[in-house]
Amino acid sequence: MTTRPRLLLLLILLLTAGAVVVGGGVAERMSSGGSQIPGSESSYATAELERRWPASQPNLLLLVSPRDGSRDVDDPAVASAARGLARQLADEKTVLGVVSYWQTEDTALRARDGGEALITARIKGDEDAVDDSLEALEPRYQGAHGAVDVRLGGPAAVRHASQEVIADDLVRAEVIALPVTLVLLVVVFGSAVAAALPLLVGIVSVLGTNAVLRVITEFTDVSVYAQNLTTALGLGLAIDYALFLVRRHREELAAGRDPRDAVAVTLRTAGRTVLYSALTVAVCLASMLVFEQYFLRSLAYAGIAVVLISAAASLVALPAALVLLGHRVNALRLPVGRRGGNPGAGWARLARLVMRRAPLFAVGTVAVLLALGLPFKDVRFGTADDRQLPSGTEARVVQEELRNEFPGSPGSALAVLVEGKPAAKALAAYSGEVSRLAHVVQVAGPAGRFVDGKRVDDAPPAVGYVSVLHSAESASPQSVSLVKKIRSVPASFETSVTGPAAVLADTQHGTAERLPWALAVIAVTTLILVFLLTGSVLLPLLTVVVNGLSLTAMFGAVVWVFQDGHLSGALGFTPTGDIETALPVLMFCVAFGLSMDYGVFLVSRIKEEYELGGDHRDAVVLGIRRTGGLITAAALILAVVMVAIGTSRVTNIKMLGLGVGLAVLMDAMVVRALLVPAVLRLTGRATWWAPAPLRRLQRRVGLEEEARTTYPDVPTRTERPVSGRT
């Protein structure tokens, strides 16, 4: 980095250019599913039905309505046009299992007022194949067809629309975030050259991670949410790390070091902090590998990649650039930012005030944080549906028509896989029993169709599944309860229930089962890493507890805003009364990792000051003084990136961006400024205690930073001392 900086930067430039080529089109390779638990009952039933009766689970719905509003779907001209459409769709090579109202006269496929009816079908193949087929089918079937108009809906259309909206929104988020971030960096540094460096590191990080994700998609499914996480963390963390390193490098230059020595000292001190921070954040995100859904696992892949690439770009490319720039890193000074004065004096005064009233600030801050988190006690977990999409999106309009106008939404029907070759009488008894359950509209299967326990027609050709049409919302507590009741209906043969509500029930169970393991991974590794950094037994425990408290406002806001619908008009989304089951897990892992990022910056500096001076209170004040402005600036920049992500028109992306942005600001401006100094004042010198064997172990591992010998902003004799001494 210091002897061949030009060659190193040239290699990095070539790698970045390669990443642009490899990572191009990565969004098209991603999927919007991944919530199903592999090995669960619903997963098994889904796989068996797809293998043996693919048409049993339609993923494409054609909503057909008369072009002449005075006619209904039973009008001869309308019926003739609809039958022609159904025949045309059945001839498509990628489509099977076409069923229409005009073929079966099944009232479940006809709107109550007769103004609309359905043609259902299944597009063959995995999610990528389905998307490709849907793109080819859309222009041939959407719009006017003789006497009818057609709109496309169903799971395939909803997923495809979600991917398109998310991709468009991501471009807009980047357009918003990059210039605003550059302005903030200029304000922080007061120099255009210094401000441009962190932003360039962030761009390299995002491009590199996109290339990694593109490679991963060749081996496993990757959620479309991964690219949003890449942009947020790639820009946020890379800029944070680069900001921290550039700030320290400029301090060393101001102390009289030449550029090479300044880079060396920066890497031995701030560089170790960045490395440790990256490991901590990566571990928090890696905890999502505990879960079985590829939605969370793919986000873990993306998170680990973006954190490590951000750290590598900051610790390798940035130092080489700093060596080449030398003192020109301060070039192009602009009339903005801090000028003169006593840097950090305001943070030092705040720290002294908090420590003088430590019990009051500690209790008061904790009480406020817990109060902000109270709404989360009423959280209701569900699953994402079409209402994630912007109003007016065709796929959402079709699904809304199904919910509001049809007797039980065909798109949310449950399917019961029947195995064991049951007798006709036993299957009829089972079907009749299921049809008596609350919210069940009808049960159709090998024994016929049943409503309220009575057969309403003769048995159709024998198949191995029973379709249960119900009137409950697919992501509601009522539908989950219905799944449990169906599974408890006694049968002399084997049954397995699947469908949207069954997937939700299994997802909730699987997530709750794995969550303690993920929390344990985060807690244990955080305790170990903070101990190795500080050599303290108490400080790691305090760090975990304080970081947890910093997330209460985020979780409270998620329920109050996105579940209960407050501010939904201003933010432009439709509340569904529940929260996507896996999303709080993702938000916790991301926000906790980012909180640790700032916690590491602060704790490492306090430890450095403590080892230099030996006074606990002085160390806390000086640590906050020298990092308060830096952490606040980093938090503002990361919050800008997250809020830009939060401008998405997809509700879950909006929730992720705005929620994590709020958590970052609360952590940096409330927890680090008020709660941490208050708690450290109460714990006193005991903060740094550890048994002799553990301390020897910590010193042997060698994660301690080297103490700096020059401090350009140390208080002089004319300044007010920290605690009565200079």
Side-chain angles (χ1 to χ4, degrees):
M1 288 183 282
T2 59
T3 59
R4 299 286 189 276
R6 289 183 177 84
L7 176 60
L8 179 61
L9 289 176
L10 177 61
L11 292 174
I12 292 172
L13 180 61
L14 292 175
L15 286 173
T16 304
V20 172
V21 175
V22 175
V26 64
E28 299 173 0
R29 302 280 301 174
M30 295 181 173
S31 306
S32 60
S35 61
Q36 202 159 355
I37 303 287
S40 63
E41 179 178 325
S42 59
S43 178
Y44 168 76
T46 298
E48 284 298 300
L49 288 171
E50 287 183 349
R51 182 176 67 87
R52 296 159 62 183
W53 296 282
S56 64
Q57 300 177 85
N59 56 9
L60 177 65
L61 303 176
L62 274 61
L63 184 64
V64 181
S65 57
R67 297 194 69 190
D68 184 348
S70 63
R71 300 180 178 182
D72 63 17
V73 295
D74 295 312
D75 182 89
V78 173
S80 176
R83 292 191 186 98
L85 270 175
R87 287 193 297 270
Q88 179 184 343
L89 187 61
D91 289 336
E92 299 283 354
K93 294 181 180 180
T94 59
V95 176
L96 47 79
V98 176
V99 176
S100 74
Y101 161 72
W102 297 271
Q103 169 195 354
T104 64
E105 296 186 356
D106 184 352
T107 55
L109 301 179
R110 180 181 183 272
R112 296 184 185 90
D113 62 1
E116 297 164 320
L118 288 173
I119 300 173
T120 69
R122 182 166 187 85
I123 303 176
K124 296 186 293 185
D126 58 17
E127 289 184 347
D128 292 333
V130 169
D131 286 339
D132 292 341
S133 299
L134 184 62
E135 287 186 357
L137 293 173
E138 277 181 340
R140 295 205 292 269
Y141 290 92
Q142 280 179 327
H145 292 268
V148 299
D149 283 320
V150 179
R151 289 173 288 179
L152 271 57
V158 171
R159 183 177 65 247
H160 185 65
S162 297
Q163 290 172 319
E164 289 185 334
V165 173
I166 288 173
D168 291 343
D169 290 347
L170 185 60
V171 173
R172 186 178 69 251
E174 292 170 347
V175 170
I176 295 172
L178 289 175
V180 176
T181 297
L182 181 59
V183 170
L184 289 174
L185 287 169
V186 169
V187 171
V188 171
F189 287 118
S191 161
V193 173
L197 290 175
L199 191 60
L200 290 174
V201 171
I203 293 173
V204 169
S205 176
V206 172
L207 295 176
T209 306
N210 282 340
V212 172
L213 290 178
R214 177 63 181 82
V215 174
I216 293 176
T217 60
E218 294 293 330
F219 303 97
T220 186
D221 293 316
V222 177
S223 171
V224 70
Y225 288 82
Q227 201 172 21
N228 291 274
L229 187 66
T230 294
T231 298
L233 294 184
L235 289 176
L237 287 177
I239 289 173
D240 279 3
Y241 296 155
L243 180 66
F244 192 56
L245 292 169
V246 172
R247 174 75 172 270
R248 189 67 174 252
H249 178 73
R250 294 178 80 192
E251 287 182 8
E252 299 300 335
L253 290 177
R257 299 186 187 275
D258 67 68
R260 292 178 186 271
D261 287 342
V263 165
V265 173
T266 297
L267 288 177
R268 286 198 301 268
T269 54
R272 292 188 178 186
T273 300
V274 166
L275 180 60
Y276 168 81
S277 173
L279 290 174
T280 308
V281 177
V283 165
C284 291
L285 295 172
S287 65
M288 288 186 286
L289 292 173
V290 169
F291 298 95
E292 297 176 282
Q293 307 99 300
Y294 85 71
F295 166 73
L296 291 174
R297 295 177 69 88
S298 63
L299 291 171
Y301 303 144
I304 294 170
V306 74
V307 171
L308 296 182
I309 292 175
S310 297
S314 301
L315 295 173
V316 177
L318 182 61
L322 292 174
V323 168
L324 285 179
L325 286 171
H327 289 278
R328 287 173 295 179
V329 71
N330 297 316
L332 299 181
R333 288 191 173 273
L334 302 173
V336 293
R338 191 191 306 275
R339 288 287 183 272
N342 185 6
W347 289 102
R349 287 193 295 270
L350 177 61
R352 294 190 196 100
L353 171 64
V354 171
M355 296 178 78
R356 283 198 300 269
R357 301 287 187 270
L360 176 63
F361 277 97
V363 173
T365 304
V366 170
V368 170
L369 291 174
L370 292 177
L372 292 174
L374 280 178
F376 193 71
K377 66 181 178 59
D378 297 320
V379 65
R380 294 184 296 276
F381 294 110
T383 189
D385 60 20
D386 57 279
R387 287 169 289 184
Q388 293 282 312
L389 293 170
S391 299
T393 305
E394 182 171 297
R396 173 175 172 174
V397 171
V398 171
Q399 299 303 120
E400 288 175 341
E401 289 291 311
L402 294 180
R403 275 194 298 271
N404 299 329
E405 304 298 333
F406 284 73
S409 174
S412 63
L414 297 170
V416 182
L417 176 66
V418 176
E419 297 178 293
K421 296 182 179 179
K425 186 176 181 180
L427 187 55
Y430 174 81
S431 300
E433 189 66 25
V434 171
S435 71
R436 292 189 181 95
L437 297 175
H439 303 294
V440 173
V441 175
Q442 73 171 28
V443 176
R449 285 197 297 133
F450 291 80
V451 176
D452 293 330
K454 299 177 181 179
R455 190 196 302 259
V456 295
D457 65 4
D458 294 330
V463 293
Y465 64 92
V466 172
S467 177
V468 181
L469 198 65
H470 62 90
S471 59
E473 289 278 355
S474 61
S476 66
Q478 291 81 7
S479 63
V480 172
S481 176
L482 176 60
V483 169
K484 295 177 180 178
K485 291 177 181 177
I486 294 174
R487 287 174 172 172
S488 65
V489 172
S492 58
F493 45 88
E494 295 181 10
T495 62
S496 303
V497 183
T498 188
V503 171
L504 173 58
D506 290 338
T507 299
Q508 291 177 341
H509 176 75
T511 303
E513 194 174 50
R514 295 297 184 102
L515 183 59
W517 291 101
L519 296 177
V521 168
I522 292 175
V524 171
T525 53
T526 299
L527 291 173
I528 292 173
L529 289 172
V530 176
F531 167 74
L532 292 176
L533 177 73
T534 64
S536 163
V537 171
L538 181 59
L539 198 54
L541 296 172
L542 293 177
T543 301
V544 171
V545 173
V546 166
N547 276 14
L549 285 171
S550 71
L551 308 184
T552 55
M554 175 184 74
F555 285 122
V558 161
V559 172
W560 192 76
V561 175
F562 290 96
Q563 175 180 290
D564 298 340
H566 298 98
L567 304 180
S568 59
L571 296 177
F573 69 92
T574 302
T576 60
D578 53 55
I579 301 296
E580 167 77 42
T581 302
L583 199 60
V585 175
L586 169 62
M587 296 176 71
F588 174 84
C589 294
V590 172
F592 191 90
L594 295 175
S595 296
M596 281 300 304
D597 187 42
Y598 300 133
V600 168
F601 290 168
L602 177 58
V603 169
S604 63
R605 195 58 180 261
I606 291 175
K607 177 178 179 291
E608 184 179 338
E609 302 293 348
Y610 179 72
E611 291 185 341
L612 283 172
D615 185 274
H616 175 70
R617 281 184 290 178
D618 285 3
V620 174
V621 172
L622 287 172
I624 292 176
R625 174 182 181 176
R626 293 190 171 98
T627 62
L630 180 66
I631 290 175
T632 301
L636 284 173
I637 291 170
L638 184 55
V640 165
V641 176
M642 297 307 304
V643 170
I645 296 293
T647 62
S648 173
R649 293 166 292 167
V650 175
T651 306
N652 276 353
I653 300 292
K654 189 187 298 290
M655 188 189 312
L656 174 65
L658 297 182
V660 174
L662 175 62
V664 166
L665 293 176
M666 290 295 295
D667 179 74
M669 298 183 177
V670 177
V671 172
R672 304 296 160 198
L674 302 179
L675 184 58
V676 169
V679 171
L680 292 181
R681 173 66 181 88
L682 294 175
T683 56
R685 292 180 64 89
T687 303
W688 308 103
W689 177 85
L694 288 180
R695 185 166 291 279
R696 286 194 296 270
L697 174 65
Q698 185 263 344
R699 288 173 177 169
R700 192 178 304 120
V701 171
L703 285 180
E704 295 189 67
E705 292 186 350
E706 294 185 14
R708 189 172 67 166
T709 57
T710 57
Y711 290 91
D713 60 339
V714 164
T716 65
R717 294 181 184 276
T718 60
E719 295 176 14
R720 179 180 179 181
V722 175
S723 58
R725 67 177 179 83
T726 58

